[in-house]
Amino acid sequence: MSESDPNVAHSPLGPSSGDRWINCTGSVAFTAGMEDSESVYAAEGTAAHTLSEWAREDGKACRAYIGATIEVGSHSFKVDETMARYVQQFVDYVNDLPGDAFYEERVHYTAFVPDLSLIHI
């Protein structure tokens, strides 16, 4: 198993909140330091993402991790057959895509968001 940590802080300019920070640049500074109240559903998605990362990095099938526990914030998820099956479908899809695989890479948005300099982090 890799040493990836699903609890590592995400960028304040994350894609999932892009609609907010692109349209309201002040929201980045306003929300800085606020506690992240992640729902159990979001945490489960993060756990599934972590499982996919382990499988891709280690070159193993997701079923190899059945029984493993993934902690995400205050939530805990045990990898079961259902999670392994669904995440394996995603891993297989990603593995079939052409080109190099990149995951958990830092992305700089300046090429995509021209006014990024207006956002104060």
Side-chain angles (χ1 to χ4, degrees), residues 52-108:
S52 76
E53 185 179 341
W54 290 350
R56 288 179 288 145
E57 285 182 349
D58 298 344
K60 295 181 180 179
C62 292
R63 68 179 172 273
Y65 302 96
I66 291 176
T69 300
I70 302 172
E71 304 286 335
V72 181
S74 62
H75 305 284
S76 179
F77 302 92
K78 185 166 280 214
V79 178
D80 60 13
E81 289 183 32
T82 301
M83 179 187 271
R85 183 175 65 248
Y86 284 114
V87 173
Q88 188 64 53
Q89 288 177 349
F90 168 74
V91 170
D92 292 343
Y93 172 78
V94 170
N95 287 341
D96 287 342
L97 293 173
D100 296 327
F102 294 98
Y103 40 90
E104 297 305 322
E105 296 290 328
R106 294 214 178 262
V107 175
H108 297 281

XYZ file of all heavy atoms in Angstrom, residues 52-108:
462
model
N -8.367 3.887 -5.258
C -7.948 3.842 -6.666
C -6.483 4.222 -6.817
O -5.752 3.643 -7.621
C -8.826 4.756 -7.531
O -8.506 6.122 -7.372
N -6.045 5.176 -6.019
C -4.643 5.597 -6.068
C -3.728 4.463 -5.605
O -2.706 4.183 -6.233
C -4.442 6.832 -5.204
C -3.047 7.414 -5.300
C -2.889 8.662 -4.446
O -3.884 9.285 -4.062
O -1.727 8.998 -4.158
N -4.104 3.797 -4.505
C -3.301 2.657 -4.028
C -3.180 1.599 -5.117
O -2.085 1.116 -5.406
C -3.950 2.024 -2.804
C -3.919 2.818 -1.548
C -3.215 3.968 -1.292
C -4.653 2.533 -0.361
N -3.462 4.400 -0.015
C -4.339 3.542 0.576
C -5.547 1.527 -0.002
C -4.881 3.561 1.846
C -6.091 1.548 1.272
C -5.761 2.546 2.189
N -4.317 1.246 -5.722
C -4.332 0.189 -6.736
C -3.482 0.566 -7.945
O -2.703 -0.251 -8.448
C -5.771 -0.109 -7.155
N -3.601 1.805 -8.394
C -2.833 2.240 -9.570
C -1.347 2.343 -9.258
O -0.513 1.921 -10.054
C -3.380 3.566 -10.098
C -4.743 3.374 -10.779
C -5.337 4.666 -11.303
N -5.773 5.477 -10.161
C -5.700 6.796 -10.127
N -5.208 7.476 -11.128
N -6.129 7.457 -9.077
N -1.005 2.879 -8.096
C 0.417 3.028 -7.756
C 1.085 1.674 -7.500
O 2.239 1.476 -7.866
C 0.582 3.913 -6.523
C 0.378 5.379 -6.804
C 0.596 6.243 -5.567
O 0.701 5.712 -4.449
O 0.665 7.474 -5.746
N 0.353 0.761 -6.847
C 0.926 -0.537 -6.485
C 0.758 -1.581 -7.580
O 1.324 -2.675 -7.476
C 0.295 -1.058 -5.187
C 0.567 -0.143 -3.996
O 1.471 0.710 -4.080
O -0.145 -0.292 -2.973
N -0.042 -1.279 -8.614
C -0.268 -2.229 -9.690
C -1.052 -3.454 -9.231
O -0.846 -4.556 -9.739
N -1.939 -3.258 -8.269
C -2.748 -4.364 -7.749
C -4.218 -4.118 -8.052
O -4.640 -2.989 -8.275
C -2.587 -4.474 -6.225
C -1.195 -4.834 -5.777
C -1.155 -4.932 -4.264
C 0.228 -5.288 -3.762
N 0.258 -5.350 -2.284
N -4.993 -5.200 -8.012
C -6.437 -5.077 -8.149
C -6.997 -4.523 -6.838
O -6.441 -4.764 -5.757
C -7.055 -6.433 -8.449
N -8.090 -3.794 -6.926
C -8.706 -3.207 -5.731
C -9.094 -4.270 -4.708
O -9.055 -4.015 -3.505
C -9.923 -2.378 -6.120
S -9.499 -0.882 -7.042
N -9.439 -5.455 -5.160
C -9.839 -6.517 -4.218
C -8.699 -6.894 -3.272
O -8.936 -7.443 -2.202
C -10.382 -7.734 -4.955
C -9.358 -8.492 -5.759
C -9.981 -9.722 -6.452
N -9.022 -10.290 -7.356
C -8.838 -9.932 -8.611
N -9.595 -8.980 -9.130
N -7.922 -10.491 -9.362
N -7.465 -6.571 -3.636
C -6.321 -6.862 -2.767
C -6.385 -6.054 -1.470
O -5.716 -6.400 -0.494
C -5.007 -6.569 -3.488
N -7.199 -5.004 -1.442
C -7.280 -4.124 -0.281
C -8.540 -4.362 0.553
O -8.801 -3.620 1.497
C -7.206 -2.664 -0.727
C -5.938 -2.383 -1.485
C -5.919 -2.408 -2.881
C -4.746 -2.140 -0.817
C -4.752 -2.181 -3.577
C -3.577 -1.909 -1.505
C -3.588 -1.936 -2.892
O -2.425 -1.719 -3.577
N -9.332 -5.383 0.199
C -10.539 -5.677 0.977
C -10.123 -5.931 2.423
O -9.202 -6.684 2.707
C -11.308 -6.880 0.379
C -11.918 -6.476 -0.968
C -12.389 -7.373 1.346
C -12.623 -7.594 -1.717
N -10.804 -5.255 3.310
C -10.502 -5.348 4.739
C -9.673 -4.175 5.249
O -9.638 -3.923 6.456
N -9.025 -3.453 4.344
C -8.240 -2.280 4.753
C -9.186 -1.175 5.205
O -10.323 -1.076 4.730
C -7.365 -1.784 3.602
N -8.723 -0.349 6.115
C -9.513 0.774 6.596
C -8.885 2.068 6.096
O -7.663 2.238 6.153
C -9.556 0.779 8.139
O -10.160 -0.449 8.574
C -10.357 1.945 8.664
N -9.730 2.951 5.596
C -9.277 4.251 5.108
C -9.937 5.312 5.982
O -11.160 5.393 6.061
C -9.639 4.454 3.626
C -9.024 3.345 2.764
C -9.185 5.840 3.152
C -9.495 3.354 1.317
N -9.108 6.103 6.641
C -9.592 7.191 7.501
C -9.610 8.485 6.699
O -8.618 8.843 6.065
C -8.658 7.368 8.704
C -8.462 6.121 9.547
C -9.658 5.777 10.407
O -10.440 6.696 10.733
O -9.810 4.598 10.756
N -10.735 9.161 6.731
C -10.871 10.452 6.064
C -11.519 11.403 7.063
O -12.710 11.282 7.352
C -11.721 10.356 4.784
C -11.825 11.722 4.112
C -11.167 9.326 3.821
N -10.719 12.311 7.610
C -11.236 13.211 8.629
C -11.743 12.406 9.812
O -11.048 11.542 10.337
N -12.986 12.635 10.197
C -13.565 11.897 11.325
C -14.287 10.633 10.875
O -14.897 9.944 11.690
C -14.546 12.808 12.080
O -15.618 13.181 11.223
N -14.199 10.325 9.589
C -14.891 9.167 9.032
C -13.912 8.017 8.791
O -12.738 8.236 8.502
C -15.579 9.529 7.716
C -16.512 10.687 7.839
N -17.751 10.597 8.421
C -16.373 11.978 7.469
C -18.343 11.770 8.398
N -17.524 12.631 7.824
N -14.433 6.813 8.906
C -13.630 5.612 8.693
C -14.387 4.685 7.752
O -15.589 4.443 7.951
C -13.396 4.924 10.043
O -12.643 3.759 9.874
N -13.703 4.171 6.745
C -14.327 3.297 5.757
C -13.508 2.027 5.610
O -12.293 2.084 5.422
C -14.428 3.998 4.393
C -15.203 5.280 4.454
C -14.558 6.484 4.670
C -16.582 5.274 4.337
C -15.255 7.666 4.749
C -17.300 6.462 4.419
C -16.641 7.653 4.624
N -14.189 0.900 5.693
C -13.534 -0.381 5.475
C -13.776 -0.767 4.024
O -14.914 -0.743 3.545
C -14.086 -1.458 6.400
C -13.329 -2.784 6.263
C -13.642 -3.717 7.389
C -12.804 -3.267 8.553
N -12.321 -4.294 9.419
N -12.708 -1.097 3.298
C -12.843 -1.520 1.912
C -13.553 -2.873 1.912
O -13.081 -3.831 2.517
C -11.474 -1.627 1.208
C -11.648 -2.120 -0.222
C -10.740 -0.291 1.247
N -14.716 -2.911 1.253
C -15.451 -4.164 1.143
C -15.545 -4.552 -0.335
O -15.018 -3.857 -1.205
C -16.830 -4.052 1.793
C -17.717 -2.976 1.173
O -17.393 -2.452 0.089
O -18.754 -2.658 1.780
N -16.219 -5.660 -0.607
C -16.311 -6.140 -1.984
C -17.000 -5.133 -2.894
O -16.587 -4.949 -4.047
C -17.050 -7.482 -2.020
C -16.240 -8.615 -1.435
C -16.952 -9.961 -1.550
O -17.698 -10.170 -2.525
O -16.749 -10.784 -0.656
N -18.028 -4.470 -2.385
C -18.758 -3.502 -3.202
C -17.870 -2.323 -3.577
O -17.795 -1.932 -4.746
C -20.020 -3.015 -2.456
O -20.843 -4.144 -2.163
C -20.792 -2.012 -3.291
N -17.173 -1.749 -2.595
C -16.286 -0.628 -2.890
C -15.200 -1.060 -3.862
O -14.917 -0.363 -4.843
C -15.645 -0.058 -1.622
C -14.689 1.110 -1.902
S -13.761 1.667 -0.457
C -14.885 2.881 0.191
N -14.607 -2.214 -3.614
C -13.523 -2.705 -4.482
C -14.017 -2.892 -5.914
O -13.321 -2.533 -6.869
C -12.958 -4.009 -3.928
N -15.214 -3.433 -6.087
C -15.758 -3.678 -7.431
C -15.973 -2.359 -8.181
O -15.567 -2.218 -9.334
C -17.058 -4.473 -7.338
C -17.638 -4.835 -8.701
C -18.873 -5.720 -8.631
N -19.997 -5.031 -7.990
C -20.502 -5.354 -6.803
N -19.996 -6.345 -6.107
N -21.520 -4.679 -6.300
N -16.616 -1.393 -7.519
C -16.901 -0.125 -8.197
C -15.630 0.679 -8.474
O -15.471 1.263 -9.551
C -17.900 0.716 -7.399
C -19.308 0.194 -7.528
C -19.975 -0.331 -6.438
C -19.963 0.213 -8.751
C -21.268 -0.823 -6.554
C -21.250 -0.269 -8.886
C -21.902 -0.793 -7.790
O -23.180 -1.270 -7.921
N -14.728 0.703 -7.528
C -13.479 1.434 -7.747
C -12.659 0.751 -8.830
O -12.014 1.413 -9.642
C -12.698 1.608 -6.425
C -11.328 2.221 -6.683
C -13.484 2.478 -5.453
N -12.705 -0.574 -8.900
C -11.977 -1.296 -9.943
C -12.482 -0.910 -11.328
O -11.700 -0.788 -12.269
C -12.082 -2.811 -9.749
C -11.174 -3.591 -10.690
C -9.703 -3.319 -10.434
O -9.234 -3.452 -9.311
N -8.969 -2.937 -11.471
N -13.797 -0.679 -11.448
C -14.341 -0.226 -12.737
C -13.694 1.102 -13.145
O -13.340 1.298 -14.311
C -15.861 -0.062 -12.661
C -16.604 -1.363 -12.586
C -18.104 -1.160 -12.433
O -18.590 -0.048 -12.181
N -18.855 -2.238 -12.570
N -13.539 2.010 -12.192
C -12.887 3.293 -12.459
C -11.423 3.090 -12.832
O -10.932 3.656 -13.814
C -13.013 4.205 -11.237
C -12.126 5.422 -11.309
C -12.433 6.477 -12.153
C -10.973 5.499 -10.551
C -11.617 7.591 -12.227
C -10.144 6.609 -10.624
C -10.468 7.662 -11.462
N -10.712 2.256 -12.059
C -9.291 1.999 -12.325
C -9.115 1.402 -13.722
O -8.234 1.817 -14.475
C -8.678 1.081 -11.236
C -7.291 0.604 -11.631
C -8.638 1.811 -9.896
N -9.972 0.445 -14.082
C -9.888 -0.156 -15.413
C -10.115 0.882 -16.498
O -9.414 0.904 -17.513
C -10.904 -1.295 -15.556
C -10.576 -2.497 -14.687
O -9.427 -2.617 -14.208
O -11.497 -3.326 -14.474
N -11.081 1.771 -16.278
C -11.363 2.835 -17.239
C -10.139 3.738 -17.409
O -9.721 4.039 -18.527
C -12.575 3.655 -16.791
C -12.807 4.885 -17.630
C -13.398 4.797 -18.885
C -12.413 6.143 -17.173
C -13.600 5.925 -19.667
C -12.604 7.276 -17.946
C -13.197 7.157 -19.186
O -13.384 8.273 -19.962
N -9.567 4.176 -16.295
C -8.397 5.057 -16.342
C -7.226 4.354 -17.017
O -6.531 4.938 -17.847
C -8.010 5.537 -14.923
C -6.668 6.243 -14.913
C -9.088 6.453 -14.365
N -7.018 3.091 -16.692
C -5.901 2.350 -17.277
C -6.042 2.168 -18.782
O -5.049 1.994 -19.479
C -5.742 0.989 -16.598
C -5.167 1.099 -15.210
O -4.563 2.110 -14.844
N -5.373 0.073 -14.403
N -7.281 2.202 -19.290
C -7.514 2.042 -20.727
C -7.368 3.346 -21.506
O -7.357 3.330 -22.735
C -8.904 1.454 -20.980
C -8.985 -0.019 -20.615
O -7.931 -0.676 -20.501
O -10.123 -0.509 -20.435
N -7.250 4.471 -20.810
C -7.092 5.754 -21.500
C -5.694 5.851 -22.105
O -4.718 5.417 -21.488
C -7.318 6.914 -20.531
C -8.735 7.079 -19.999
C -8.763 8.157 -18.915
C -9.703 7.430 -21.120
N -5.585 6.438 -23.279
C -4.254 6.591 -23.873
C -3.446 7.675 -23.157
O -4.003 8.539 -22.481
C -4.570 7.020 -25.317
C -5.917 7.661 -25.242
C -6.650 6.957 -24.129
N -2.144 7.605 -23.307
C -1.265 8.634 -22.740
C -0.747 8.266 -21.367
O -1.011 7.186 -20.836
N 0.016 9.185 -20.813
C 0.596 8.979 -19.486
C -0.447 9.213 -18.406
O -1.322 10.066 -18.551
C 1.766 9.955 -19.259
C 2.912 9.711 -20.224
O 3.130 8.540 -20.593
O 3.582 10.694 -20.606
N -0.336 8.466 -17.331
C -1.252 8.630 -16.201
C -0.653 9.623 -15.204
O 0.486 9.471 -14.785
C -1.495 7.290 -15.526
N -1.423 10.622 -14.865
C -1.021 11.591 -13.857
C -2.137 11.664 -12.826
O -3.300 11.828 -13.183
C -0.819 12.983 -14.464
C 0.322 13.057 -15.423
C 0.101 12.983 -16.785
C 1.618 13.206 -14.968
C 1.158 13.055 -17.672
C 2.680 13.279 -15.838
C 2.449 13.190 -17.194
N -1.795 11.547 -11.578
C -2.776 11.714 -10.514
C -2.080 12.319 -9.320
O -0.893 12.157 -9.126
C -3.483 10.409 -10.143
C -2.593 9.198 -10.114
C -1.935 8.827 -8.945
C -2.393 8.427 -11.248
C -1.119 7.712 -8.914
C -1.566 7.318 -11.228
C -0.936 6.966 -10.060
O -0.121 5.880 -10.035
N -2.875 13.064 -8.578
C -2.362 13.804 -7.434
C -1.201 14.709 -7.845
O -0.188 14.801 -7.165
C -1.954 12.862 -6.296
C -3.098 12.066 -5.726
C -4.265 12.927 -5.253
O -4.031 14.018 -4.690
O -5.410 12.515 -5.446
N -1.366 15.372 -8.963
C -0.376 16.324 -9.448
C -0.859 17.736 -9.126
O -2.042 18.032 -9.235
C -0.202 16.202 -10.970
C 0.341 14.868 -11.429
C 1.790 14.662 -11.063
O 2.548 15.649 -11.018
O 2.164 13.510 -10.815
N 0.049 18.586 -8.749
C -0.308 19.983 -8.531
C -0.527 20.648 -9.886
O 0.231 20.437 -10.820
C 0.792 20.712 -7.774
C 0.952 20.190 -6.369
C 1.356 21.325 -5.442
N 1.465 20.831 -4.095
C 0.507 20.948 -3.188
N -0.615 21.527 -3.518
N 0.662 20.482 -1.977
N -1.578 21.436 -9.955
C -1.930 22.113 -11.196
C -1.916 23.610 -10.929
O -2.452 24.077 -9.927
C -3.342 21.680 -11.669
C -3.767 22.463 -12.892
C -3.377 20.188 -11.943
N -1.296 24.346 -11.823
C -1.292 25.799 -11.725
C -2.337 26.332 -12.703
O -2.307 26.016 -13.880
C 0.101 26.356 -12.028
C 1.115 25.883 -11.034
N 1.244 26.450 -9.785
C 2.007 24.873 -11.075
C 2.182 25.814 -9.110
N 2.655 24.854 -9.868
